Amino acid sequence: TTTTDPYAGMARSFLTGEYIKEKDAKRRPYAVMINNIQDAIPQSGISKASIIYESPVEGSITRMMALFEKPEKVNKATPDNNGKIGSVRSCRIYFAYMANEWDSIYCHFGQSKYAKRFLKSGKLDVINSWKGQNAYYRTSDKPAPHNCYADGKKLTQQAKKLKYRKNHKESYGGHFIFAEIGRAHV
């Protein structure tokens, strides 16, 4: 008996190792800076992220960088997500370097003075407060600066408007090597 390949037309996600549509696996992720201070909790949209980094920024404060394969899918409100991403906060240089390692489009609202030169160098595609246009918005439910959110669909629209590459570079190989569990090798 011949069996069909259940993974036909699919490829491994560079972020999770899961099989997803081949065209989606080629897409660059969006790395969004997420606030992680008490005034910003609860965060929105992070349950839809494939990878989350958490690192200290100042004192005992941490910030997160969430990597999304399809940020436009966050816009669909579900019981665990209100349809927005955030609250979005500013860049720190080490997050920009991490985002670059994933060949991602880096999304933030503001930046430290140490990050400005790298962000303007052209080595990283950026959607920020000066290039974000309507991708970011403020709400009235939290005090500023903890009330800035991103619209996932508008982030992808802004990347297109800025003429950023939609797909990974041909040479990109990802960070992880995922085991082939449950799939026969012939």
Side-chain angles (χ1 to χ4, degrees):
T1 315
T2 305
T3 58
T4 58
D5 183 355
Y7 303 107
M10 302 180 89
R12 283 284 183 96
S13 161
F14 283 119
L15 302 181
T16 66
E18 296 171 310
Y19 282 95
I20 59 176
K21 292 179 184 174
E22 191 170 3
K23 67 177 183 143
D24 292 339
K26 291 179 182 180
R27 283 183 60 175
R28 298 170 70 194
Y30 287 69
V32 183
M33 293 306 306
I34 305 288
N35 204 347
N36 197 33
I37 196 166
Q38 186 64 39
D39 290 341
I41 296 171
Q43 294 93 346
S44 298
I46 61 174
S47 67
K48 303 294 183 194
S50 296
I51 294 175
I52 298 178
Y53 285 87
E54 182 182 13
S55 295
V57 284
E58 293 91 26
S60 61
I61 298 171
T62 64
R63 194 156 291 162
M64 297 184 293
M65 182 178 74
L67 288 145
F68 296 92
E69 286 182 301
K70 295 179 83 172
E72 66 275 12
K73 294 294 183 189
V74 177
N75 286 52
K76 295 180 180 178
T78 61
D80 67 333
N81 174 48
N82 55 15
K84 57 188 177 182
I85 301 171
S87 68
V88 179
R89 287 295 301 200
S90 60
C91 164
R92 296 298 183 269
I93 188 66
Y94 42 91
F95 282 115
Y97 287 130
M98 287 186 273
N100 202 31
E101 291 173 9
W102 290 96
D103 190 27
S104 69
I105 297 169
Y106 186 54
C107 309
H108 63 95
F109 199 86
Q111 64 284 319
S112 68
K113 65 181 180 178
Y114 305 107
K116 277 186 177 181
R117 179 180 284 158
F118 183 69
L119 292 171
K120 292 183 177 185
S121 72
K123 294 178 183 177
L124 181 66
D125 288 339
V126 175
I127 300 175
N128 53 29
S129 52
W130 68 84
K131 288 184 178 178
Q133 305 207 326
N134 66 350
Y136 300 108
Y137 60 95
R138 295 225 182 244
T139 62
S140 60
D141 60 336
K142 295 177 184 173
H146 313 294
N147 63 345
C148 178
Y149 291 88
D151 178 303
K153 187 173 185 178
K154 290 180 180 178
L155 286 175
T156 58
Q157 291 170 349
Q158 188 64 15
K160 185 176 182 177
K161 184 177 179 181
L162 292 167
K163 298 181 180 171
Y164 291 156
R165 266 183 305 104
K166 181 179 179 179
N167 294 329
H168 283 290
K169 299 173 188 172
E170 285 293 323
S171 61
Y172 185 73
H175 277 273
F176 304 129
I177 298 172
F178 295 101
E180 290 281 345
I181 298 174
R183 184 167 183 181
H185 293 281
V186 182

